[in-house]
Amino acid sequence: MGLGWWLVASESVVVVENLTYAYPTSKDFVLRDVSFDVKRGEVLAVLGPNGSGKSTLCKSLNGLVPHFYGGRYGGRVVVGGEEVLKSSVAKLATKVGLVFQDPEDQMSGLALTVWEEVAFGLMMLGYPREEIVRRVEEAIEYVGLKGLEKRSPFELSGGQMQRLAIATVLALKPEVVVLDEPTAQLDPIGKFEVLAVIEKLAREGSTIIIAEHEIEDVAYFADKALLLHNGRVLAYGPLRNVLRDVEKLKSVGVDPPSVTELTHYLVKELGADLEYPVTLEEAVKIYSELVGVA
Ligand code: ADP
Ligand code: MG
C-alpha cells in the first residue's frame, strides 16, 4: 500500500467497512457486513424494502447508531475523516447532517420561528452572531423559504417544513448530507418542492446519501446505488448497473423505474439490443433513436 493507495482512499468522504449492527432489543443483526464508500460530490441512493435497514444505516452515519441507541456494533464507519465509533453525535454534526423522514422529528420544538429554527443548531455550537445571521439567511434562501422567516415552523406545509429541516442541516455546512426517505410523508406538491432542493444540491456538487424506496425520484441525480435486503448488501455499484438488474430488485419488492422495467422486458422477451434507461428523459432519447426520429 503505497502513497497512491492513500490518495485514492482519501477522496472518499464516507467509508463504511463491514458494518454490522443490532439494536439492544434486536434478536438478530439489522445490518450485516455492509461496506461501501462515497466520494466527494457523489450521490448514493440507498434502496431496499421496508425493514431492510435503510434508516439504521442513515443513523450509523451521524453516530446516533451506536452512541444514542447502544447495541452490538462491529466494523467501521468513517465520515469526513472522523471515525464514528470514536467520535460523538455533537462532533459529527458538522461532518454529516441527517434529514429525517418526518420533518416534525427534526424540529427543536424550542424555536418560535423559521429563522430561529435554522439558527438553533448554530447557536448550540456557539457560532458568533454575524456568522449565524449569514448562514441562516443563506440556508433559508437556498431552500426557498425566504419571506417565511417569522412564521412558526408548525404553521408550515409539509413540503415547507421538510425544506426547513433541510435548511437546519445545510446551515451547519456538513461534508455529507444524509436524507432518509425525505419525501415519504409529503403530498405531491411538497414532494416536488423538496426533490427540487435535493436535486439542486446534487447538481451543485454536494455529497449526498439518500434512502428512498421510490427509485424513480432519485434516478435523475444519483450516481451510485446500494440495495439492502435484511440488512445485507444485495447490490452495490453505479446506479445503472444496480437498476438494470430488474429481477433482483423485484425479488425483494423494490420497483425499478418503469422505463427500466419496460426495456428489460423488451430485451428479455423480444431479444432487443437496447441500452437501459433509468429516467423518462433517457428513455425518450433511446427510443427515439430506435424508431429513427431523433
Ligand atoms: P428501513 O428504514 O429500511 O425500513 P430500519 O432501519 O428502520 O429499515 O429497520 C431495520 C430493522 O431494524 C427492522 O427490523 C426494524 O424493526 C428494526 N429497528 C428499527 N429501529 C429499531 C429500534 N429503535 N429498536 C429496535 N429495532 C429497530
Ligand atoms: Mg426507514
Side-chain angles (χ1 to χ4, degrees):
M1 278 193 269
L3 184 62
W5 172 83
W6 187 83
L7 286 173
V8 170
S10 69
E11 284 173 25
S12 295
V13 187
V14 176
V15 180
V16 175
E17 287 170 353
N18 304 106
L19 177 63
T20 297
Y21 176 71
Y23 289 98
T25 54
S26 311
K27 278 201 215 84
D28 222 337
F29 286 101
V30 300
L31 294 175
R32 306 176 213 219
D33 259 332
V34 174
S35 298
F36 64 90
D37 70 275
V38 183
K39 305 224 172 352
R40 200 166 297 284
E42 262 182 351
V43 178
L44 173 75
V46 178
L47 312 172
N50 268 338
S52 58
K54 300 183 298 296
S55 294
T56 306
L57 180 62
C58 290
K59 290 184 281 195
S60 76
L61 297 168
N62 79 336
L64 286 173
V65 163
H67 297 299
F68 175 76
Y69 288 96
R72 287 169 287 162
Y73 186 97
R76 215 161 73 101
V77 177
V78 182
V79 181
E82 185 91 10
E83 183 167 355
V84 168
L85 191 59
K86 295 179 184 154
S87 189
S88 66
V89 175
K91 208 163 168 200
L92 288 162
T94 55
K95 299 269 179 199
V96 42
L98 174 57
V99 175
F100 300 106
Q101 183 167 332
D102 185 345
E104 286 202 28
D105 292 343
Q106 198 108 22
M107 299 297 120
S108 63
L110 299 170
L112 296 178
T113 65
V114 164
W115 201 98
E116 284 175 23
E117 186 65 58
V118 182
F120 188 78
L122 294 164
M123 293 199 289
M124 296 298 283
L125 291 169
Y127 280 89
R129 167 123 195 123
E130 295 93 86
E131 178 75 10
I132 293 178
V133 170
R134 187 145 42 85
R135 288 196 187 197
V136 169
E137 277 164 15
E138 203 177 80
I140 286 178
E141 164 112 53
Y142 194 88
V143 301
L145 290 181
K146 216 172 157 151
L148 297 179
E149 290 88 343
K150 297 201 173 110
R151 193 74 71 83
S152 158
F154 295 96
E155 283 167 4
L156 300 176
S157 70
Q160 288 169 335
M161 200 192 272
Q162 189 61 298
R163 285 183 286 143
L164 171 58
I166 294 173
T168 65
V169 160
L170 295 183
L172 301 178
K173 297 192 191 291
E175 291 185 43
V176 191
V177 178
V178 180
L179 304 118
D180 186 5
E181 297 199 50
T183 64
Q185 308 278 335
L186 306 179
D187 57 47
I189 293 171
K191 192 169 156 177
F192 178 80
E193 294 169 345
V194 168
L195 280 172
V197 172
I198 299 169
E199 191 171 346
K200 179 163 71 158
L201 275 172
R203 301 235 182 270
E204 290 177 2
S206 297
T207 310
I208 298 174
I209 296 177
I210 178 167
E212 188 54 72
H213 74 230
E214 287 185 48
I215 302 183
E216 243 145 41
D217 291 339
V218 291
Y220 283 88
F221 53 82
D223 303 298
K224 295 206 288 198
L226 177 83
L227 175 64
L228 286 178
H229 180 56
N230 286 337
R232 291 183 193 280
V233 177
L234 211 58
Y236 167 58
L239 181 79
R240 264 143 241 289
N241 296 2
V242 174
L243 297 195
R244 62 179 293 142
D245 201 340
V246 165
E247 271 143 41
K248 188 185 274 177
L249 291 170
K250 289 175 79 90
S251 75
V252 297
V254 172
D255 286 327
S258 34
V259 290
T260 315
E261 193 172 351
L262 167 67
T263 306
H264 180 71
Y265 173 79
L266 294 174
V267 169
K268 202 171 147 254
E269 301 298 323
L270 308 175
D273 178 19
L274 284 169
E275 214 183 301
Y276 277 54
V278 298
T279 66
L280 186 58
E281 218 171 29
E282 286 176 13
V284 167
K285 192 164 172 287
I286 291 168
Y287 285 90
S288 306
E289 276 165 18
L290 187 71
V291 297
V293 297

